[in-house]
């Protein structure tokens, strides 16, 4: 947390290559901090921290409007086309400690594509990484971002009908994280109102978790 008129939320995005992970980070920040493009191999090879400016109109504390700042840690894909699973895990773990060790992590965002079915082996890979990074309470600190939601919408699916038709693997994953999920369009720049709607949902998840954080280290 910053001063009484400002709140900081710390987020990390995790997921496979070409899920729109870096683009999702940019959408949350309202910026183009992270490289995001189509590529037949994994684009992101190291962790990178992006910071938003002051965002007004989303939160009130003690009867007064407070500014929100968002910090997002972008990470290499998992599995990766050039790095081993151990290298990705160790790289992300070190970056989490470096950037969020003092204030802690509010949410890990598992990025999945809404326009592709989730296979059990893919779910196992990503869940294993999150468990290794966050520990036994990972479910309380993980939400799912379903990107390319615009393609699902173009195919005639609302959020309700999409979830009704979703694979048992995805539904089981969403259930395990207490149904903390957000559908996200994958346009290069979402409009301010859409971004604020996504941030409100994330703030609601964090509030329901009593603003707890993970990975916070003692200064002693």
């Amino acid at each position: 947390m910053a001063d009484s008129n400002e709140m900081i939320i710390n987020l990390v995005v995790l997921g496979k290559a070409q899920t729109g992970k870096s683009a999702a980070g940019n959408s949350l920040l309202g910026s183009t901090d992270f490289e995001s493009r189509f590529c037949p191999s994994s684009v992101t090879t190291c962790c990178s921290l992006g910071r938003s400016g002051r965002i007004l109109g989303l939160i009130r504390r003690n009867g007064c409007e407070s500014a929100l700042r968002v910090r997002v840690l972008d990470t290499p894909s998992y599995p990766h086309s050039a790095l081993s699973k151990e290298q990705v895990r160790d790289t992300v773990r070190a970056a989490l400690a470096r950037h969020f060790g003092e204030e802690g992590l509010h949410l890990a965002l598992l990025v999945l594509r809404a326009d592709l079915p989730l296979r059990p082996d893919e779910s196992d890979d990503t869940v294993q990484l999150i468990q290794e990074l966050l520990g036994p309470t990972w479910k309380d600190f993980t939400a799912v971002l379903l990107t390319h939601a615009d393609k699902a919408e173009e195919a005639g699916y609302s959020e309700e009908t999409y979830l009704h038709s979703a694979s048992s693997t995805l539904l089981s994953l969403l259930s395990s994280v207490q149904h903390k999920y957000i559908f996200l369009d994958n346009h290069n720049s979402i409009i301010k109102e859409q971004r604020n709607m996504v941030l409100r949902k994330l703030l609601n998840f964090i509030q329901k978790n009593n603003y707890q954080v993970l990975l916070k280290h003692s200064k002693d």
Side-chain angles (χ1 to χ4, degrees):
M1 299 293 168
D3 60 51
S4 59
N5 293 319
E6 189 172 280
M7 178 181 177
I8 297 174
I9 58 172
N10 294 327
L11 311 168
V12 59
V13 288
L14 302 163
K16 286 182 57 187
Q18 300 301 316
T19 54
K21 181 166 49 64
S22 297
N26 286 334
S27 295
L28 295 171
L29 295 171
S31 71
T32 54
D33 284 29
F34 306 132
E35 183 180 7
S36 175
R37 57 185 169 84
F38 174 79
C39 183
S41 60
S42 303
V43 174
T44 305
T45 57
C46 59
C47 294
S48 176
L49 184 71
R51 299 175 174 86
S52 76
R54 287 166 57 90
I55 305 167
L56 299 174
L58 289 183
I59 51 175
R60 295 182 67 84
R61 300 171 74 189
N62 301 320
C64 300
E65 182 178 72
S66 295
L68 175 69
R69 289 187 188 271
V70 181
R71 301 201 302 174
V72 178
L73 184 67
D74 191 23
T75 63
S77 60
Y78 186 90
H80 198 277
S81 60
L83 303 173
S84 70
K85 290 184 177 182
E86 291 75 21
Q87 285 175 312
V88 174
R89 181 198 62 208
D90 293 346
T91 296
V92 176
R93 181 176 285 154
L96 286 168
R98 182 167 66 253
H99 295 298
F100 299 151
E102 187 173 329
E103 296 178 352
L105 173 73
H106 291 94
L107 273 179
L109 304 177
L110 172 53
V111 183
L112 303 173
R113 288 185 63 144
D115 60 334
L116 295 176
L118 179 65
R119 301 198 312 265
D121 59 322
E122 294 174 327
S123 176
D124 291 344
D125 277 340
T126 49
V127 167
Q128 178 190 1
L129 174 64
I130 293 174
Q131 286 177 326
E132 291 182 11
L133 292 172
L134 304 188
T137 60
W138 69 273
K139 295 175 183 177
D140 296 328
F141 295 89
T142 300
V144 173
L145 275 186
L146 290 158
T147 59
H148 297 78
D150 44 314
K151 292 186 178 180
E153 188 175 328
E154 289 167 6
Y157 287 97
S158 65
E159 288 188 20
E160 183 179 350
T161 56
Y162 177 90
L163 292 173
H164 185 72
S165 306
S167 69
S168 59
T169 302
L170 177 58
L171 293 176
S172 176
L173 175 61
L174 295 181
S175 178
S176 71
V177 298
Q178 298 104 46
H179 299 283
K180 297 192 296 291
Y181 63 85
I182 295 173
F183 285 87
L184 187 67
D185 287 355
N186 227 62
H187 300 121
N188 287 331
S189 56
I190 61 174
I191 61 174
K192 179 180 177 182
E193 289 76 12
Q194 290 174 318
R195 177 196 180 206
N196 285 351
M197 180 180 66
V198 171
L199 290 176
R200 283 192 185 96
K201 289 181 179 179
L202 291 176
L203 285 167
N204 185 49
F205 297 156
I206 292 169
Q207 182 183 30
K208 286 184 176 179
N209 213 24
N210 297 315
Y211 300 99
Q212 296 179 87
V213 292
L214 270 182
L215 309 174
K216 187 172 182 177
H217 302 314
S218 169
K219 293 184 179 180
D220 297 336

